[in-house]
Amino acid sequence: MILGFDPLLGGHVGLVVVLIVLVKAALTLGICLIATMLMIWFERKIISDLQNRIGPNRAGPWGILQTLADGLKVILKEDLIPDKSDRLVFRLAPVLTMVPAFITFGLIPLGGDFSDGKGGAVHMFGHDTFLQLANPDAGVLVILAMSSIAVYGVMLAGWSSGSKYPLLGSVRASAQMVSYEAALGLSVLAVVLVSGNGGSGLGTLTTNGIVNAQAPWGWNLWVTGLIPFVIFSMAATAELNRPPFDLVEAEQELVGSFQTEYSGFRFAIFYLAEFLNAVTMGAIIVTLFLGGPAGPRIIGPGWLWGFVWFFLKLIVILYAFVWTRASVPRVRYDQLMDLGWKVLIPLSLGWMLLLVAIRVGSDAGWNPFLTVAIGAATMAAGYGTLNLAQRASRRNRELEGAID
Amino acid sequence: MEWFVFVAGAIICLAGAIGVVTSENPVHSALSLVGTLFGIAVLFIAQDAEFLAAVQIIVYAGAIVVLFLFVIMLLGVDSSEDIRVEPLSGQRTWAGVAGVLLAGGLVCVVWFGQTTGARSTAARNDPNLPNVTQIGRLIFTDYLWAFEITSVLLVIAVVGAVTLARHRHEALVDEPPADEIPAPAEEVAS
């Protein structure tokens, strides 16, 4: 079995190697949980600053232990299971929301020395290794797979509660998350397209390879031309059910949607998973578009700077998440679906084809300006046709009397 | 090690498959199906077919079963149906006969066939190249025609599903958003 192209597992797998892997697993889990705890505090603090409030300030310095206190309180509460619920699925659902996020986090390069062509490997205890739990061959695909099964938790939680608002929420959730997955996948495709590993001409799907292709300054943010980044960020926000796309839990319309019937520890798991997913998605954005742990080594050992750059970039992205939440009002459901299907998917598809044309053109020696111009003209024509088709279908429906 | 992974994967697959058939609740059946799909993904990984494993989860567990569940929720088929009444008469008998024949055939193939345990040469596995690269090359060179034909088939299925859904629309008064109707039919058809 190939467990990915980590140099650690390339040679003889002895006791030290097994220990290193175990320590990495424990550390990843620890970082995950601590990051989630800090993320909850961070979000509450920033939101309160943006809304001219004080926010949590009692537990610990700057209220940093607030999450811990909340967690303790919620564990001591009674754990209710509604009579009409499907007991097995009701218990299973919170776990299903958390597991995919943990697995995804294991694929993110959290650090590593990407300077001077070292490819992110770090030497420790006599072995070279990447500072990520696993680096499977299908890297990005595994991330997409995990994001595609993340919908199960929300969906089953709503259904198994056996009550109306949660069910409405879970129907909304499944439609929304399945819709935005297409845009998410297509913008990842743009990243994969430009990530080759140097001279061999082979592309790569591994997270390590994608970061390596970006080191030190060839960030996919500008290599893919900003649009995939914007699309990915919007689709990620929708996948996370965060405002302005939090139709799934919209308190004013659906009480609390899939969480309505949950209490005590199971509610805490949902709460944890929500922020864990936010941290993980932020880490994916950093890895795919902002160069991950790649960055200049200023002073001291290279592996240290990997951590520094990664977490700096992560904090910037997470701040952007919170900032969006505080500034943009929630969209309507039809606006959400229109944005996903009629804007994001066509745009990401067109942009990917443009990138392909530029790529093929540079191989075949076409005039780059002409390639871009023709590509842009084709995209504009495609958009015009799409618009016409939409108008025609709208008029048809008006004639049929389906809408007024 | 490989034996252990195979047994674990096979147990997950079989347990899921039995669950699909025996659960009275359609949602439990769908969840058991997810279990089977994950078991198959594990078996794919044990065969170094990581790409297939990932795609298996993305397409089947992440899209198709989600749409199954979506339909089950939307139609509200969440109570257990009476399964003693057969919708087609004699269906159960014929299904039993077909099942026995298939099982017998499988046993015959395993019993009389020669299994060497060596890997198939048709796949031309190159241990120095990543699995995804090899699949990509094969699909876009030797098997391009089959690949394109499959995509045409999918387009036909989508168009057919939309056409069918359009005709039924006229009877509906309060229709859900148009995005959600053709999707399940299209996935089943593909």
Side-chain angles (χ1 to χ4, degrees), chain A residues 39 50-51 57 102 181 223 227 245 294 303 326 336 348 393 397 401:
Chain A
M39 175 65 195
L50 291 169
Q51 295 172 340
N57 70 341
F102 274 129
E181 241 162 56
V223 172
I227 299 285
F245 303 117
W303 58 268
L336 172 93
S348 52
S393 80
R397 274 181 289 164

PDB file of all heavy atoms in Angstrom, chain A residues 39 50-51 57 102 181 223 227 245 294 303 326 336 348 393 397 401:
ATOM      1  N   MET A  39     -10.628  29.597  17.647  1.00  0.00           N
ATOM      2  CA  MET A  39     -11.438  30.179  16.574  1.00  0.00           C
ATOM      3  C   MET A  39     -12.766  30.687  17.116  1.00  0.00           C
ATOM      4  O   MET A  39     -13.239  31.766  16.750  1.00  0.00           O
ATOM      5  CB  MET A  39     -11.665  29.132  15.486  1.00  0.00           C
ATOM      6  CG  MET A  39     -12.592  29.557  14.374  1.00  0.00           C
ATOM      7  SD  MET A  39     -11.926  30.912  13.419  1.00  0.00           S
ATOM      8  CE  MET A  39     -13.384  31.460  12.543  1.00  0.00           C
ATOM      9  N   LEU A  50     -16.518  44.471  15.980  1.00  0.00           N
ATOM     10  CA  LEU A  50     -17.124  45.065  14.793  1.00  0.00           C
ATOM     11  C   LEU A  50     -18.513  45.611  15.099  1.00  0.00           C
ATOM     12  O   LEU A  50     -19.043  46.437  14.368  1.00  0.00           O
ATOM     13  CB  LEU A  50     -17.205  44.036  13.668  1.00  0.00           C
ATOM     14  CG  LEU A  50     -15.863  43.629  13.065  1.00  0.00           C
ATOM     15  CD1 LEU A  50     -16.024  42.430  12.153  1.00  0.00           C
ATOM     16  CD2 LEU A  50     -15.247  44.779  12.309  1.00  0.00           C
ATOM     17  N   GLN A  51     -19.139  45.105  16.168  1.00  0.00           N
ATOM     18  CA  GLN A  51     -20.483  45.569  16.518  1.00  0.00           C
ATOM     19  C   GLN A  51     -20.476  46.514  17.718  1.00  0.00           C
ATOM     20  O   GLN A  51     -21.517  46.739  18.327  1.00  0.00           O
ATOM     21  CB  GLN A  51     -21.375  44.368  16.831  1.00  0.00           C
ATOM     22  CG  GLN A  51     -21.609  43.477  15.633  1.00  0.00           C
ATOM     23  CD  GLN A  51     -22.327  42.208  16.007  1.00  0.00           C
ATOM     24  OE1 GLN A  51     -22.338  41.812  17.176  1.00  0.00           O
ATOM     25  NE2 GLN A  51     -22.921  41.549  15.020  1.00  0.00           N
ATOM     26  N   ASN A  57     -15.163  38.547  28.102  1.00  0.00           N
ATOM     27  CA  ASN A  57     -13.975  39.135  28.735  1.00  0.00           C
ATOM     28  C   ASN A  57     -13.806  38.680  30.184  1.00  0.00           C
ATOM     29  O   ASN A  57     -13.094  39.277  30.945  1.00  0.00           O
ATOM     30  CB  ASN A  57     -14.044  40.660  28.680  1.00  0.00           C
ATOM     31  CG  ASN A  57     -15.122  41.215  29.582  1.00  0.00           C
ATOM     32  OD1 ASN A  57     -16.029  40.489  29.963  1.00  0.00           O
ATOM     33  ND2 ASN A  57     -15.028  42.478  29.918  1.00  0.00           N
ATOM     34  N   PHE A 102     -11.921  16.522  10.600  1.00  0.00           N
ATOM     35  CA  PHE A 102     -10.669  16.019  11.173  1.00  0.00           C
ATOM     36  C   PHE A 102      -9.800  15.383  10.095  1.00  0.00           C
ATOM     37  O   PHE A 102      -8.601  15.626  10.016  1.00  0.00           O
ATOM     38  CB  PHE A 102     -10.956  14.962  12.252  1.00  0.00           C
ATOM     39  CG  PHE A 102     -11.206  15.542  13.616  1.00  0.00           C
ATOM     40  CD1 PHE A 102     -12.321  15.191  14.338  1.00  0.00           C
ATOM     41  CD2 PHE A 102     -10.305  16.440  14.165  1.00  0.00           C
ATOM     42  CE1 PHE A 102     -12.550  15.721  15.587  1.00  0.00           C
ATOM     43  CE2 PHE A 102     -10.529  16.968  15.415  1.00  0.00           C
ATOM     44  CZ  PHE A 102     -11.657  16.613  16.119  1.00  0.00           C
ATOM     45  N   GLU A 181     -20.936  22.451  -4.373  1.00  0.00           N
ATOM     46  CA  GLU A 181     -19.791  21.557  -4.539  1.00  0.00           C
ATOM     47  C   GLU A 181     -19.233  21.613  -5.948  1.00  0.00           C
ATOM     48  O   GLU A 181     -18.025  21.506  -6.147  1.00  0.00           O
ATOM     49  CB  GLU A 181     -20.223  20.135  -4.252  1.00  0.00           C
ATOM     50  CG  GLU A 181     -19.491  19.523  -3.112  1.00  0.00           C
ATOM     51  CD  GLU A 181     -20.262  18.338  -2.644  1.00  0.00           C
ATOM     52  OE1 GLU A 181     -20.526  17.456  -3.468  1.00  0.00           O
ATOM     53  OE2 GLU A 181     -20.627  18.336  -1.474  1.00  0.00           O
ATOM     54  N   VAL A 223      -1.500  33.241  -9.882  1.00  0.00           N
ATOM     55  CA  VAL A 223      -1.176  32.379 -11.021  1.00  0.00           C
ATOM     56  C   VAL A 223      -2.453  31.948 -11.743  1.00  0.00           C
ATOM     57  O   VAL A 223      -2.515  31.898 -12.966  1.00  0.00           O
ATOM     58  CB  VAL A 223      -0.371  31.143 -10.555  1.00  0.00           C
ATOM     59  CG1 VAL A 223      -0.204  30.152 -11.688  1.00  0.00           C
ATOM     60  CG2 VAL A 223       1.006  31.568 -10.063  1.00  0.00           C
ATOM     61  N   ILE A 227      -9.833  34.843 -10.005  1.00  0.00           N
ATOM     62  CA  ILE A 227     -11.239  34.413 -10.086  1.00  0.00           C
ATOM     63  C   ILE A 227     -11.468  33.083  -9.356  1.00  0.00           C
ATOM     64  O   ILE A 227     -12.399  32.983  -8.545  1.00  0.00           O
ATOM     65  CB  ILE A 227     -11.698  34.318 -11.554  1.00  0.00           C
ATOM     66  CG1 ILE A 227     -11.594  35.678 -12.218  1.00  0.00           C
ATOM     67  CG2 ILE A 227     -13.104  33.769 -11.666  1.00  0.00           C
ATOM     68  CD1 ILE A 227     -12.659  36.649 -11.816  1.00  0.00           C
ATOM     69  N   PHE A 245     -24.416  32.923   3.686  1.00  0.00           N
ATOM     70  CA  PHE A 245     -25.112  31.765   3.108  1.00  0.00           C
ATOM     71  C   PHE A 245     -25.625  30.828   4.193  1.00  0.00           C
ATOM     72  O   PHE A 245     -25.636  29.626   4.005  1.00  0.00           O
ATOM     73  CB  PHE A 245     -24.170  30.996   2.175  1.00  0.00           C
ATOM     74  CG  PHE A 245     -23.600  31.828   1.076  1.00  0.00           C
ATOM     75  CD1 PHE A 245     -22.242  32.056   0.978  1.00  0.00           C
ATOM     76  CD2 PHE A 245     -24.431  32.388   0.127  1.00  0.00           C
ATOM     77  CE1 PHE A 245     -21.721  32.820  -0.040  1.00  0.00           C
ATOM     78  CE2 PHE A 245     -23.908  33.155  -0.899  1.00  0.00           C
ATOM     79  CZ  PHE A 245     -22.559  33.369  -0.974  1.00  0.00           C
ATOM     80  N   ALA A 294       4.691  27.891   2.532  1.00  0.00           N
ATOM     81  CA  ALA A 294       5.824  28.411   1.763  1.00  0.00           C
ATOM     82  C   ALA A 294       5.983  29.904   2.012  1.00  0.00           C
ATOM     83  O   ALA A 294       5.007  30.625   2.098  1.00  0.00           O
ATOM     84  CB  ALA A 294       5.608  28.149   0.277  1.00  0.00           C
ATOM     85  N   TRP A 303      12.264  25.247   9.109  1.00  0.00           N
ATOM     86  CA  TRP A 303      11.001  24.592   9.468  1.00  0.00           C
ATOM     87  C   TRP A 303      10.128  25.481  10.342  1.00  0.00           C
ATOM     88  O   TRP A 303       8.907  25.425  10.297  1.00  0.00           O
ATOM     89  CB  TRP A 303      11.258  23.263  10.155  1.00  0.00           C
ATOM     90  CG  TRP A 303      12.095  23.333  11.397  1.00  0.00           C
ATOM     91  CD1 TRP A 303      13.439  23.190  11.472  1.00  0.00           C
ATOM     92  CD2 TRP A 303      11.645  23.563  12.718  1.00  0.00           C
ATOM     93  NE1 TRP A 303      13.865  23.328  12.752  1.00  0.00           N
ATOM     94  CE2 TRP A 303      12.785  23.552  13.561  1.00  0.00           C
ATOM     95  CE3 TRP A 303      10.393  23.780  13.296  1.00  0.00           C
ATOM     96  CZ2 TRP A 303      12.704  23.765  14.930  1.00  0.00           C
ATOM     97  CZ3 TRP A 303      10.319  23.990  14.669  1.00  0.00           C
ATOM     98  CH2 TRP A 303      11.467  23.980  15.462  1.00  0.00           C
ATOM     99  N   ALA A 326     -19.815  39.648   9.626  1.00  0.00           N
ATOM    100  CA  ALA A 326     -20.305  40.844  10.308  1.00  0.00           C
ATOM    101  C   ALA A 326     -20.848  41.872   9.331  1.00  0.00           C
ATOM    102  O   ALA A 326     -21.638  42.728   9.723  1.00  0.00           O
ATOM    103  CB  ALA A 326     -19.179  41.464  11.131  1.00  0.00           C
ATOM    104  N   LEU A 336     -29.496  32.618  -3.558  1.00  0.00           N
ATOM    105  CA  LEU A 336     -28.431  31.646  -3.300  1.00  0.00           C
ATOM    106  C   LEU A 336     -28.310  30.668  -4.464  1.00  0.00           C
ATOM    107  O   LEU A 336     -27.215  30.417  -4.980  1.00  0.00           O
ATOM    108  CB  LEU A 336     -28.746  30.894  -2.010  1.00  0.00           C
ATOM    109  CG  LEU A 336     -27.854  29.726  -1.665  1.00  0.00           C
ATOM    110  CD1 LEU A 336     -26.734  30.197  -0.777  1.00  0.00           C
ATOM    111  CD2 LEU A 336     -28.627  28.637  -0.971  1.00  0.00           C
ATOM    112  N   SER A 348     -16.726  29.603 -13.294  1.00  0.00           N
ATOM    113  CA  SER A 348     -15.551  28.785 -12.991  1.00  0.00           C
ATOM    114  C   SER A 348     -15.231  27.846 -14.143  1.00  0.00           C
ATOM    115  O   SER A 348     -14.067  27.604 -14.466  1.00  0.00           O
ATOM    116  CB  SER A 348     -15.757  28.009 -11.688  1.00  0.00           C
ATOM    117  OG  SER A 348     -16.951  27.309 -11.718  1.00  0.00           O
ATOM    118  N   SER A 393     -36.483  31.211 -21.124  1.00  0.00           N
ATOM    119  CA  SER A 393     -37.192  30.259 -20.256  1.00  0.00           C
ATOM    120  C   SER A 393     -38.055  31.008 -19.251  1.00  0.00           C
ATOM    121  O   SER A 393     -39.153  30.568 -18.913  1.00  0.00           O
ATOM    122  CB  SER A 393     -36.192  29.355 -19.539  1.00  0.00           C
ATOM    123  OG  SER A 393     -35.636  30.010 -18.438  1.00  0.00           O
ATOM    124  N   ARG A 397     -42.109  30.587 -18.887  1.00  0.00           N
ATOM    125  CA  ARG A 397     -42.798  30.278 -17.633  1.00  0.00           C
ATOM    126  C   ARG A 397     -43.853  31.326 -17.334  1.00  0.00           C
ATOM    127  O   ARG A 397     -44.922  31.026 -16.801  1.00  0.00           O
ATOM    128  CB  ARG A 397     -41.795  30.188 -16.484  1.00  0.00           C
ATOM    129  CG  ARG A 397     -41.199  28.803 -16.365  1.00  0.00           C
ATOM    130  CD  ARG A 397     -40.250  28.720 -15.219  1.00  0.00           C
ATOM    131  NE  ARG A 397     -39.044  29.464 -15.503  1.00  0.00           N
ATOM    132  CZ  ARG A 397     -38.160  29.830 -14.584  1.00  0.00           C
ATOM    133  NH1 ARG A 397     -38.380  29.541 -13.333  1.00  0.00           N
ATOM    134  NH2 ARG A 397     -37.078  30.476 -14.916  1.00  0.00           N
ATOM    135  N   GLY A 401     -47.881  30.849 -17.012  1.00  0.00           N
ATOM    136  CA  GLY A 401     -48.521  31.261 -15.776  1.00  0.00           C
ATOM    137  C   GLY A 401     -47.928  30.637 -14.541  1.00  0.00           C
ATOM    138  O   GLY A 401     -48.546  30.622 -13.481  1.00  0.00           O
TER     139      GLY A 401
END
